Amino acid sequence: MSEHKTEQTPATPPAGRPAAGSGGGGGRPRMMVDLDPSGQVTGREGDRSNRQFMNYAFFKLDPAFRRLPQAERDEIRAEFQAAAEGWVADAPAAKGLIQRPYSLVGVRGDVDFMLWRIAFDVREFQEAQARLNRTRLMGYLTQPYNFVSMNKRSQYVNRVEGSGHGLEVLPGQGQFLFIYPFVKTRAWYDLTPHSRQGMMDEHIHASAPFKGVRINTSYSYGIDDQEFVVSFDSDYPQEFVDLVHRLRYTEASMYTLQDTPMFTCVKKELAEVLTDLG
């Protein structure tokens, strides 16, 4: 898919990138979209607008699968692939379903692959998983991690470019996707809005040179254990490592409670992902 747009918002350290719509010449982006996130001053009503949900579903293979005859393994993988791809292919385009497969074979011991799903209705993830559960391969798979989150506009960055003004996330085309759940300390929420904004200004400024890293920030308040799930799409792992290292020195990083486990996911076609399993 071409013309992918991502919400480039630094809502969570230890990584980020300046928002689109920033001033020319590499200057600092315009910010302070919402300095009253609690709603206590403005008394804002709840927002019921349509938003994208994210599902990062990680799978681990039982080695018993590799002891099956080759022909049987090929048949089982093909069945699983048809079920997974059918979730998108069989749905009306208006539903806006998106799925991206990634392999973690050889780069992480507790998971083998990940399916990144995006939908406007969280119940679509149930349909996606139900299709997989009816395949024989799921009898050999467990799910050590399964994160659910929702996209929404960052309160720190004024994104003025792209459909939905930062409210629509489409997965990028980088060779790698770096993912982790994220939780802030309670002390972060006790800071004044201007204090938080100042720290995020520093955060954005420090990350500005790393233009080969694109961030997708999504929010999990009330719908999963973590507060955020952040994923970074890039062709350059070395740039991402240097970005995370640099942001360890920013003041906002002092308010990180949890940013693990971290996953390095390699983008591949689903057939390749399943072949990696053996």
Side-chain angles (χ1 to χ4, degrees):
M1 180 178 291
S2 61
E3 292 295 322
H4 292 296
K5 301 180 180 71
T6 58
E7 182 192 12
Q8 297 172 0
T9 164
T12 58
R17 190 189 168 194
S22 59
R28 290 179 145 200
R30 287 173 287 181
M31 301 177 205
M32 290 182 283
V33 169
D34 181 6
L35 288 180
D36 180 33
S38 69
Q40 296 180 47
V41 176
T42 59
R44 262 189 336 275
E45 295 184 356
D47 178 15
R48 297 181 181 179
S49 60
N50 211 19
R51 302 183 195 171
Q52 286 175 311
F53 288 89
M54 315 289 157
N55 176 216
Y56 298 90
F58 292 86
F59 299 85
K60 176 66 177 176
L61 183 72
D62 186 332
F65 174 78
R66 301 188 182 100
R67 294 191 284 271
L68 297 176
Q70 180 69 52
E72 186 176 358
R73 279 182 281 147
D74 292 344
E75 182 180 321
I76 290 174
R77 284 194 299 261
E79 177 192 41
F80 184 91
Q81 180 179 344
E85 294 177 342
W87 176 64
V88 175
D90 297 342
K95 283 194 171 184
L97 303 184
I98 299 171
Q99 182 173 252
R100 294 288 182 268
Y102 294 84
S103 176
L104 289 93
V105 169
V107 295
R108 182 137 186 138
D110 52 351
V111 291
D112 290 314
F113 69 97
M114 186 273 294
L115 297 177
W116 182 13
R117 303 164 177 148
I118 301 177
F120 286 101
D121 187 336
V122 71
R123 290 169 293 189
E124 297 290 353
F125 303 146
Q126 292 188 310
E127 169 62 21
Q129 190 61 42
R131 285 173 176 254
L132 300 185
N133 288 344
R134 292 190 285 268
T135 68
R136 286 171 287 173
L137 185 58
M138 277 306 300
Y140 295 93
L141 293 172
T142 56
Q143 288 189 256
Y145 306 98
N146 189 68
F147 304 125
V148 175
S149 55
M150 177 189 291
N151 186 35
K152 71 172 189 150
R153 187 171 185 161
S154 169
Q155 69 196 56
Y156 299 110
V157 176
N158 185 12
R159 179 177 172 86
V160 296
E161 177 184 333
S163 174
H165 295 278
L167 293 177
E168 182 179 349
V169 169
L170 298 175
Q173 293 299 296
Q175 298 180 60
F176 303 94
L177 190 70
F178 306 96
I179 305 169
Y180 57 85
F182 186 86
V183 179
K184 293 274 197 181
T185 66
R186 295 299 295 177
W188 172 260
Y189 299 98
D190 195 44
L191 296 171
T192 67
H194 287 282
S195 295
R196 289 193 301 269
Q197 183 67 62
M199 292 183 199
M200 295 312 297
D201 286 359
E202 177 196 30
H203 180 100
I204 296 167
H205 184 68
S207 64
F210 297 87
K211 302 185 186 305
V213 180
R214 298 168 296 278
I215 181 172
N216 294 287
T217 298
S218 54
Y219 299 71
S220 296
Y221 292 103
I223 59 175
D224 207 342
D225 293 346
Q226 66 282 336
E227 294 178 349
F228 309 88
V229 180
V230 285
S231 61
F232 303 86
D233 183 61
S234 182
D235 289 331
Y236 309 102
Q238 64 272 37
E239 186 173 0
F240 180 68
V241 169
D242 291 346
L243 168 61
V244 174
H245 185 205
R246 175 178 291 189
L247 292 177
R248 285 292 195 265
Y249 295 94
T250 63
E251 189 174 1
S253 69
M254 299 294 293
Y255 294 89
T256 299
L257 180 63
Q258 178 185 340
D259 59 1
T260 57
M262 292 189 175
F263 304 92
T264 297
C265 309
V266 181
K267 187 186 74 172
K268 293 186 176 183
E269 296 295 328
L270 184 55
E272 296 177 278
V273 169
L274 297 177
T275 298
D276 285 350
L277 298 179

